[in-house]
Amino acid sequence: MYVNPDPGGEQQRGNGLIAATGDVNGDGYTDLAVGDPDEPDRAGTDGVLGGRVLLWYGSAQGIARDAKPVQLTQNTAGVPGSSEKEDALGGALAVADLDRDGLADIVVGSPREDTGKRNAGQVTVIPGRSTGALGGGAYAFTQDTAGIPDAGEAEDACGTTVAVGDINKDGTPELFVSAEGGGEQLHRRGLGAPGRHQRPDREGQPRDHRRVCRLPPEGRHSSRRLPVG
């Protein structure tokens, strides 16, 4: 994914596989967030260990071609954890104002995160900020977090997909998270008490959610990387 791609010329930096938009800094302009879970295939190519999110701030003129994105990783100050090989941070992405403070928050899945269990997965929320660097106040949760249903297991891939929406029309958004390997879909009601939902099949039995979104082996994707510089 690139800003203002030029088929006949050099592309701007900013690989990614998934995008979401929202007003992260509350200035009234839409910002563009891009999830880039892939790691460099070789030295000198774009990308980082463990995956990242790139954020371009919008303006009255949109996003300038030469605009430099803010890069967010698990090594960013305030973001829980640390960047590790094949975490796939940025494999899932949503931007929404979860706490209704007027600033959109960035919700990021890292489905290959090891939490003491291989590839159990994790979801990180990076709050929007009107001033200062993003990362402060960020928090993460897994299926082993208190109040989250069930328990994390190896290959659960919690955070395969994330989505936000006010499904009960109470004015407070709900956060939905799928765990591809565990066949589950979790949601947090207005960032309050969590619950588990399994959509029934035609016979009324719980249906396996592993088909919601399937991650390629070891978090790899077929996207092509361009040399840096």
Side-chain angles (χ1 to χ4, degrees), residues 45-88:
T45 55
D46 203 10
V48 298
L49 181 74
R52 63 183 176 174
V53 172
L54 300 170
L55 177 69
W56 283 267
Y57 287 108
S59 69
Q61 291 75 41
I63 299 174
R65 177 176 173 79
D66 59 353
K68 303 298 183 185
V70 174
Q71 177 174 277
L72 300 167
T73 73
Q74 285 187 284
N75 289 338
T76 298
V79 176
S82 59
S83 298
E84 300 170 321
K85 184 175 176 59
E86 295 181 354
D87 279 346

Side-chain angles (χ1 to χ4, degrees), residues 157-214:
C158 181
T160 301
T161 59
V162 296
V164 178
D166 182 12
I167 63 169
N168 60 359
K169 304 300 182 182
D170 66 351
T172 303
E174 285 75 54
L175 171 59
F176 292 81
V177 179
S178 73
E180 181 266 345
E184 296 159 355
Q185 185 179 29
L186 316 172
H187 89 264
R188 300 199 68 164
R189 300 185 184 94
L191 297 185
R196 173 178 175 176
H197 285 250
Q198 283 192 316
R199 187 180 304 139
D201 62 16
R202 292 181 180 178
E203 289 70 44
Q205 298 300 315
R207 187 172 67 185
D208 193 335
H209 273 267
R210 285 177 290 181
R211 296 186 181 274
V212 171
C213 181
R214 187 164 295 280

Side-chain angles (χ1 to χ4, degrees), residues 137-156:
Y139 58 94
F141 59 89
T142 71
Q143 285 188 272
D144 290 323
T145 299
I148 300 296
D150 300 316
E153 299 174 319
E155 309 300 335
D156 267 356

